[in-house]
Amino acid sequence: MNLSRAQAWPLLMCLPAIALFAVFFLLPLALVMMLSAYSFKAGVGIVPDLSWANYAAVIFDGYYQQLFFNTLFIGITTALVTLLLGMPEAYVLYRMRSPWRTIFLLIILGPLLISLVVRTLGWLILLGNQGVLNSALMAAGVTEDPIRFLYSAPAIVIGLTHVLLPFMVIPIWTSLQKQKSSVVHAAFSLGASRRQVFFRIILPTALPGILSGTMVVFSLAASAFATPAILGGRRFKVVSTAVYDEFMSTLNWPLGATIALFLLIISLGSLMLYNRLIERRIQRWA
């Protein structure tokens, strides 16, 4: 089918972006898929023979099943915690007026200006056995011995929540910007309670932002490496740290590529299912 110049021009404008996407995403992904089909032999290295052994190991081995469970647990829990903290913050930001809104927005975005490793090391100091939190608890007489916060799922969730909270607040705040304050005032004037206003006006308006925010936070939390590696250590491992170990320690690149592919597939599948469920709810409330 022949395209007119006006129809072909947008397609030509997209070609550089398509080329970059193909070179920097599709091509590496194809290479990872090809590498995952190879095998690894100690003393020999990567053997380019097609095998399903890596896939079988990841699917049926309880160790890798636990890794994926840990990763999904961290991703889902972080998304829920950031939602519980981010929704009130976004609503407060929405109700603010200048110049306080600008100041509050800078406070929310401020942590993004600091290195991720530096922020995570800060939590390492706070949550350590001799850290600020344990010292305060022992000084207050709450506990006699230090509580082990580090190298556990809660420590990773705390660190990731601090890192990813802005990615939840900003989308929800952007969605709330579409809601006129006069609608809320009208609802109160007609006798609606605060609960009714929240569930019938504010929450449906914020739902697209909640959808995008939770998807972004879950994706970043499930694929995070630095925070789980520092706060989780060797006791609580997730998929990203396992992939790093396979590539850098054992040098079993085919198995590491297989684990990474499964993380991609599971994350995409979870996000697509979640997006479908939330979109149905949005259409029901629309």
Side-chain angles (χ1 to χ4, degrees), residues 16-242:
I18 295 174
L20 288 174
F21 179 77
V23 171
F24 292 104
F25 180 76
L26 295 181
L27 181 59
L29 182 60
L31 294 176
V32 170
M33 293 177 63
M34 183 174 62
L35 180 62
S36 67
Y38 292 165
S39 58
F40 175 82
K41 294 183 180 180
V44 177
I46 301 174
V47 180
D49 56 343
L50 299 180
S51 172
W52 295 100
N54 294 324
Y55 291 88
V58 174
I59 293 174
F60 298 108
D61 195 323
Y63 171 75
Y64 297 109
Q65 294 174 3
Q66 184 64 41
L67 286 180
F68 282 100
F69 175 81
N70 292 345
T71 302
L72 291 176
F73 175 79
I74 291 295
I76 295 172
T77 306
T78 303
L80 291 177
V81 174
T82 52
L83 176 59
L84 293 176
L85 296 176
M87 182 66 189
E89 287 191 22
Y91 184 70
V92 170
L93 184 63
Y94 160 69
R95 294 297 301 271
M96 280 184 172
R97 296 293 180 262
S98 298
W100 297 108
R101 175 184 292 177
T102 303
I103 297 173
F104 194 71
L105 187 61
L106 291 175
I107 293 174
I108 293 174
L109 298 178
L112 296 178
L113 303 177
I114 305 173
S115 170
L116 170 64
V117 176
V118 173
R119 283 179 285 169
T120 305
L121 289 175
W123 283 108
L124 186 68
I125 297 173
L126 288 172
L127 299 177
N129 289 339
Q130 304 300 324
V132 177
L133 182 57
N134 269 312
S135 298
L137 292 176
M138 289 187 291
V142 177
T143 178
E144 296 181 357
D145 299 321
I147 301 174
R148 187 174 68 86
F149 293 108
L150 288 178
Y151 313 124
S152 62
I156 298 175
V157 171
I158 291 172
L160 289 176
T161 300
H162 177 220
V163 171
L164 302 177
L165 185 59
F167 296 96
M168 180 67 72
V169 175
I170 300 305
I172 298 177
W173 172 61
T174 304
S175 296
L176 289 175
Q177 290 289 90
K178 303 176 183 178
Q179 178 66 62
K180 295 181 179 180
S181 58
S182 58
V183 177
V184 177
H185 295 317
F188 281 127
S189 66
L190 293 173
S193 63
R194 293 184 178 273
R195 182 177 180 275
Q196 290 174 325
V197 169
F198 177 78
F199 284 101
R200 295 190 179 185
I201 298 177
I202 298 175
L203 185 59
T205 306
L207 204 55
I210 293 174
L211 171 62
S212 58
T214 49
M215 290 177 65
V216 170
V217 170
F218 173 80
S219 301
L220 295 176
S223 60
F225 170 74
T227 302
I230 295 174
L231 299 180
R234 311 302 299 179
R235 293 183 181 178
F236 193 91
K237 297 188 65 176
V238 293
V239 171
S240 58
T241 55

Side-chain angles (χ1 to χ4, degrees), residues 35 40 46 225 229 234 237 239-257 259:
L35 180 62
F40 175 82
I46 301 174
F225 170 74
R234 311 302 299 179
K237 297 188 65 176
V239 171
S240 58
T241 55
V243 172
Y244 177 84
D245 290 340
E246 295 296 340
F247 272 90
M248 305 303 296
S249 299
T250 63
L251 302 180
N252 191 346
W253 288 21
L255 182 57
I259 299 172

